[in-house]
Amino acid sequence: MNPTDVPTQTRLDHLLGLADDALVAAQRLGEWVAAAPELEEDVALANIALDQLGAARLLLTYAGELEGAGRDEDALAYLRDDREFRNALLVELPNGDFAVTMAKLLFVSAYQLPLYTALTGCTDERLAAIAGKARKEVAYHLDHASLWTVRLGDGTEESHRRMQAAVDEIWPYTHELFTPDPAAPVDPAGLRDAFLAAVEPVLATATLDRPADGWAPSGGRSGLHTEHLSYLLAEMQVLHRAHPGARW
C-alpha cells in the first residue's frame, strides 16, 4: 500500500506502535542492569536494550516529523501520558524472574523479526531503511532468547518449572501482536505463522509445552494499558519532566 493513500493519523499510530514496543521493551530490559544472574548476561541484556532504544529513537524521530507538531523524539518519549502510548501490552509487563524476561524476549523478537523483514519491502522507503537495520539486531535477540529458553527449560527440575510457568504467563499476551490491521504497512495478522515457526521448535527443544490459545488481553494499540505502564513511565519520564527544556 502506498503510504500517501493512508491517512496521516493512521500512519502515525502505526509508527508509534513500532516505536513504543521498542521503547518500552528497552526500558524493561534496562532494569536488569546490575541485576542479571551473571555478569555476561548483564552486558548482553544492556546491549539488547540499547538495540531496542536505537530503533525506538529512529521511529520516534520519523513519527515526530510526520506529525508536524514540533515534537521530537524526546517529547514523544517523555511527554506523552500512558493513554497516548501505542505499545502492545506484552512489553510493559513486569520483568518477573529471569525466566519471565526470557519468555518475553523470545516472543517479542519472534514477532519483530518477521515484522521488520516484511517492512524492508514496504513502499515507505524511510521505514524500510529503519526496519533493515533493526532486523539484523532482532535476529540476535531471538537467538539469545532461544538459547536461554532451552537452557532453562531443559535444565534442572526447578528451572524447567519456572520456564514453563513463564511461558504460560506470557503466552496470552502474544495474541494482541497479531490483531488484523489491513491499513498497516504490514498486516500483523499475516505474521503469526512465522512467529509460530520460530517459537514452537524452541519450546519443543526446551521440553516445554505450548499453551493452548484462549484468553487474549488487548487494548495497548488503542492506548488501554495495564497499570504497569503508568509506573514504568513515571520512572522513565521523571527527570525530563522535572527539568523541562534542560540541555546537557
Side-chain angles (χ1 to χ4, degrees), residues 38-124:
E38 57 189 37
L39 180 59
E40 184 177 1
E41 188 60 21
D42 206 304
V43 175
L45 290 178
N47 282 331
I48 293 172
L50 286 172
D51 288 342
Q52 293 281 11
L53 181 60
R57 292 186 63 190
L58 293 172
L59 290 161
L60 287 173
T61 297
Y62 186 16
E65 293 173 9
L66 179 65
E67 181 186 43
R71 294 197 292 183
D72 60 9
E73 60 175 285
D74 285 345
L76 288 170
Y78 297 123
L79 297 177
R80 283 183 296 154
D81 294 327
D82 57 351
R83 292 296 294 268
E84 298 177 86
F85 273 71
R86 295 294 178 261
N87 59 279
L89 300 180
L90 192 159
V91 295
E92 71 194 45
L93 298 175
N95 285 330
D97 63 15
F98 189 68
V100 171
T101 293
M102 285 302 107
K104 287 177 60 181
L105 183 59
L106 175 67
F107 297 153
V108 168
S109 55
Y111 157 73
Q112 286 181 326
L113 183 56
L115 172 61
Y116 286 140
T117 299
L119 284 172
T120 60
C122 74
T123 54
D124 184 331

Side-chain angles (χ1 to χ4, degrees), residues 127-148:
L127 180 56
I130 295 171
K133 178 180 183 300
R135 175 181 60 179
K136 301 171 186 176
E137 297 166 343
V138 170
Y140 164 72
H141 304 171
L142 178 58
D143 183 61
H144 187 81
S146 298
L147 291 172
W148 268 110

Side-chain angles (χ1 to χ4, degrees), residues 181-234:
D181 186 358
V186 172
D187 189 344
L191 302 174
R192 184 166 171 80
D193 286 346
F195 168 84
L196 293 175
V199 167
E200 288 181 335
V202 175
L203 297 181
T205 303
T207 68
L208 299 169
D209 296 325
R210 175 195 147 181
D213 295 331
W215 178 58
S218 62
R221 299 298 189 210
S222 302
L224 301 176
H225 296 279
T226 68
E227 69 275 16
H228 307 300
L229 182 64
S230 296
Y231 290 108
L232 181 148
L233 294 180

